[in-house]
Amino acid sequence: MADSDKTHTTVLEVAEPATEALPVPEDKPRKLSSKIDRPDAAFRWIARGGGTIVVTVMSLVGLFLAYQGFTALQVAGPSFLTEQAWDPNSGKFGIAAVLAGTFFIALTAIAFALPLALGTALYISEYAPAKIKNGLVTIVDLMAAVPSVVYGLWGVFFLSPNIIPVSQWLSTYLNWIPFFRVNGFDTNDPLASPTVFAASTFIAGIVVALMVAPITSSIMREVFTQAPIGEREGALALGASRWGMIRNVVLPFGRGGIIGGTMLGLGRALGETIAVFLIISPVFVIQPNILEKGANSISALIALRYNEASVFEISALMAAGLALFLITLVVNFVASTIIVRSRSGSQSD
């Protein structure tokens, strides 16, 4: 009996396994490595190089304008932004009038271009038959390539004489709106000269609207065509009409594209030169009455005065160009940001 107990104890001692401390895994993320082939690497360097070149060129343009305009800015001081007159040779000059005129022309252009571009984009993307859709896209895109001098000549010789009766009607029946008032025009005098309506902000704005509408329409069209097909079909399956689907799916989805495209058009309208230069009659006072003769813009001022400018006046013109450069840069940057951030999920109802 004692032997059996001893044997059992021995077996238990042998069967008991030896335990060792297990290593604790380190709490570190794994290192992931990816291999980029040569075409992808080449494309990456080309894209980076192109972006770097664009930023460098834009920076150099800004630095050049700032350097050339420093003398005039030093002489004018803060009054450069508040003075309406433009006589650099006498020391009295500023961009208040031309800056206001630039915005008046641009905003008038956007007021006409926005509904025109929106309607064109919706028709092409939602209503146009497939047979003519590509042709319409090509025509609209080609309109953006027409030189501005062509639009300007069309505005001078065709639009201006034919739009004056419209300006008279607006001034006669809507003169209670401050922008439509015309000083020196008596609505009760049938012999009043219509020349007071020529070369106005209104006419220049319409011409610029036709110039910015194609690019604005193209951006809107591209955004509208990206509206999710599932949301489109779901709205139609629930009984919505085509306009109901557009109103509840396409337009909310493209809200960012509408805003961004409009602001990009505004950026181009702010810098339009030749067409405005051909149409307007330059004045150096703030002219809020868009139907009245006389308007101005920074770009038209530079085109008008550069050839006969003295050395100091060239510096003043460069300073004005710097102000326009910064304004356009800000507008385009904001527009690009809005376009990039526009997506369907947060926009659709």
Side-chain angles (χ1 to χ4, degrees):
M1 185 68 179
D3 293 340
S4 62
D5 294 339
K6 184 177 180 180
T7 303
H8 181 69
T9 305
T10 305
V11 172
L12 291 175
E13 292 177 354
V14 173
E16 192 175 26
T19 59
E20 297 180 359
L22 297 176
V24 179
E26 297 181 0
D27 190 11
K28 293 182 178 180
R30 291 187 304 165
K31 294 183 179 180
L32 300 178
S33 60
S34 60
K35 184 178 180 181
I36 302 176
D37 54 5
R38 291 182 178 179
D40 288 340
F43 175 78
R44 177 178 296 182
W45 282 107
I46 292 174
R48 287 179 178 176
T52 303
I53 291 174
V54 171
V55 174
T56 302
V57 171
M58 295 294 290
S59 300
L60 291 175
V61 170
L63 291 174
F64 171 79
L65 292 174
Y67 175 77
Q68 293 292 330
F70 178 76
T71 302
L73 291 174
Q74 193 175 23
V75 172
S79 64
F80 184 74
L81 298 175
T82 59
E83 178 62 48
Q84 298 185 37
W86 184 264
D87 191 5
N89 295 323
S90 66
K92 186 178 181 181
F93 62 97
I95 61 170
V98 292
L99 184 61
T102 301
F103 278 105
F104 288 144
I105 293 174
L107 293 177
T108 303
I110 292 301
F112 284 98
L114 177 57
L116 178 62
L118 182 60
T120 302
L122 284 176
Y123 177 77
I124 293 177
S125 63
E126 305 298 331
Y127 291 100
K131 294 181 180 180
I132 65 173
K133 181 176 293 187
N134 291 334
L136 292 176
V137 171
T138 302
I139 292 174
V140 172
D141 291 342
L142 286 176
M143 287 181 63
V146 176
S148 59
V149 65
V150 175
Y151 284 102
L153 293 174
W154 174 80
V156 171
F157 293 105
F158 177 80
L159 180 64
S160 184
N162 289 283
I163 203 68
I164 287 179
V166 178
S167 300
Q168 288 180 309
W169 185 90
L170 291 174
S171 178
T172 301
Y173 296 100
L174 298 178
N175 58 4
W176 50 272
I177 301 176
F179 290 109
F180 291 156
R181 293 175 184 170
V182 176
N183 298 321
F185 177 73
D186 186 3
T187 58
N188 298 319
D189 184 5
L191 300 179
S193 175
T195 56
V196 70
F197 297 99
S200 64
T201 300
F202 182 69
I203 299 174
I206 293 177
V207 174
V208 175
L210 294 180
M211 300 177 65
V212 304
I215 185 172
T216 305
S217 177
S218 297
I219 294 171
M220 293 180 184
R221 185 187 69 243
E222 291 298 326
V223 176
F224 292 158
T225 55
Q226 294 175 9
I229 189 66
E231 296 182 20
R232 291 171 177 265
E233 293 179 349
L236 295 174
L238 291 174
S241 62
R242 174 168 293 194
W243 170 243
M245 181 271 295
I246 292 172
R247 183 166 51 87
N248 291 283
V249 176
V250 177
L251 291 179
F253 176 86
R255 189 176 303 157
I258 295 173
I259 298 173
T262 302
M263 294 190 68
L264 284 177
L266 176 63
R268 180 179 177 184
L270 288 171
E272 184 51 48
T273 305
I274 300 300
V276 175
F277 173 74
L278 292 175
I279 294 171
I280 63 172
S281 177
V283 294
F284 292 97
V285 294
I286 296 179
Q287 175 63 282
N289 302 328
I290 63 173
L291 299 177
E292 188 174 339
K293 182 177 182 179
N296 216 332
S297 69
I298 294 178
S299 55
L301 169 68
I302 295 174
L304 177 66
R305 296 298 183 93
Y306 185 80
N307 288 333
E308 301 176 356
S310 61
V311 176
F312 181 74
E313 188 171 2
I314 289 178
S315 177
L317 292 174
M318 291 295 178
L322 176 63
L324 180 62
F325 174 79
L326 294 176
I327 293 171
T328 307
L329 192 65
V330 170
V331 171
N332 288 333
F333 176 77
V334 173
S336 300
T337 303
I338 294 174
I339 293 175
V340 169
R341 292 184 178 180
S342 61
R343 291 294 182 267
S344 174
S346 60
Q347 299 293 333
S348 297
D349 294 334

